[in-house]
Amino acid sequence: QLGNLVNIYELDLSQNHLSGAVPSSFTNLTNLCVPAVNACHSYGLNLGYNWLTVPAAPEDLAAFLTLKDPDWHLTQAISIELGGTGDQLISRQGDVELLFPSGSAPIGTTMTYIPLASPSYAIISGLAYGDLTFALEASVAKVISYSFSEPVTITLTYSEDTINPRLDDLGRIYYIPEDTLNLYFWDEMQEIWIDATQTCTEPLSIIRNSDTNTISLEVCKTGEFTLLGEKQQTLIFLPMIRR
């Protein structure tokens, strides 16, 4: 029925836990804004941060969605079924890689990586958001909170924008020192963000590579994760001329 809204020029369905295939009738929504074509500042369609199936590229629907919302597919959840011999799950954007060793979870367990637009909980004072948040869920017959029998390795790739100076809500310049970036886990019992390596009984150190902008560490629980780093203010002193 959404495909009947042929005169609509903006449709935001993001962050709605929508799953399944996008209806082929969406190709009827030809008036959805495209900045390069219409007098609009942003794309008229937003399907981001859902669980939607990404169609194969040759299809008419895939081409239409790419035109109206070019990045929509990069923020969709992605799942794999563990086979018991070691499995790999890579986010659609390619910035998060998860390695599940043999024995980390029962064979047949479905692991789902869910990109999030922003953290669901307030960030700890003194820390700044590193532009990456996701949830990791395990499911056999239903979604469950799960502790892995063997640690799962997570490798994150961050962009230069993450560590470049930026403005906070008050217009002040700050930056995140690269060596302070770390993955945090939301501990529901304590209701605080904790170092993600503390989800394991014997936490290991984080492996950093500033040349490739990657961070690698081991975790032992499913839940919500976010990339944070120390917030460092940048002070600018201007010369004063008196006359």
Side-chain angles (χ1 to χ4, degrees):
Q1 294 175 337
L2 286 173
N4 295 328
L5 304 176
V6 294
N7 293 319
I8 198 169
Y9 61 87
E10 185 174 349
L11 179 61
D12 187 350
L13 298 174
S14 63
Q15 303 183 63
N16 271 297
H17 293 90
L18 299 176
S19 61
V22 179
S24 58
S25 61
F26 266 45
T27 55
N28 297 332
L29 308 181
T30 56
N31 288 313
L32 288 171
C33 277
V34 176
V37 179
N38 310 105
C40 51
H41 298 291
S42 60
Y43 288 91
L45 180 63
N46 189 348
L47 298 173
Y49 300 100
N50 285 299
W51 298 47
L52 296 169
T53 302
V54 178
E59 295 185 7
D60 291 342
L61 176 60
F64 176 83
L65 295 177
T66 299
L67 173 66
K68 300 297 184 179
D69 186 9
D71 299 329
W72 78 277
H73 61 289
L74 296 178
T75 57
Q76 303 305 309
I78 186 169
S79 301
I80 63 166
E81 185 175 298
L82 300 185
T85 58
D87 299 273
Q88 180 186 56
L89 191 158
I90 300 177
S91 66
R92 296 186 187 277
Q93 199 156 349
D95 55 351
V96 179
E97 176 186 304
L98 300 105
L99 296 177
F100 301 91
S102 176
S104 59
I107 295 175
T109 299
T110 298
M111 300 303 310
T112 303
Y113 169 85
I114 309 164
L116 300 175
S118 61
S120 302
Y121 310 96
I123 295 174
I124 305 170
S125 177
L127 295 179
Y129 180 42
D131 304 325
L132 178 61
T133 303
F134 63 91
L136 182 61
E137 292 188 354
S139 175
V140 181
K142 59 181 181 179
V143 174
I144 56 175
S145 177
Y146 192 79
S147 294
F148 297 110
S149 302
E150 297 290 337
V152 171
T153 301
I154 300 180
T155 300
L156 311 175
T157 302
Y158 54 90
S159 70
E160 288 295 323
D161 290 339
T162 301
I163 55 178
N164 285 338
R166 64 179 76 185
L167 296 177
D168 63 15
D169 294 338
L170 299 177
R172 299 172 300 190
I173 300 175
Y174 75 94
Y175 70 99
I176 302 175
E178 195 167 8
D179 60 355
T180 69
L181 281 173
N182 194 5
L183 189 64
Y184 285 76
F185 172 81
W186 179 253
D187 188 310
E188 295 185 351
M189 296 293 293
Q190 303 182 69
E191 295 188 339
I192 59 172
W193 289 105
I194 65 171
D195 184 328
T197 61
Q198 294 179 13
T199 59
C200 297
T201 304
E202 298 180 0
L204 301 176
S205 60
I206 297 175
I207 299 175
R208 307 176 187 275
N209 189 329
S210 58
D211 293 332
T212 57
N213 287 2
T214 57
I215 297 174
S216 185
L217 68 159
E218 292 183 334
V219 303
C220 294
K221 290 185 178 180
T222 59
E224 183 170 330
F225 298 85
T226 191
L227 183 63
L228 303 173
E230 293 182 8
K231 185 176 183 180
Q232 299 287 337
Q233 296 291 156
T234 300
L235 301 179
I236 299 177
F237 297 92
L238 300 177
M240 180 175 66
I241 302 175
R242 301 181 65 180
R243 47 184 301 190

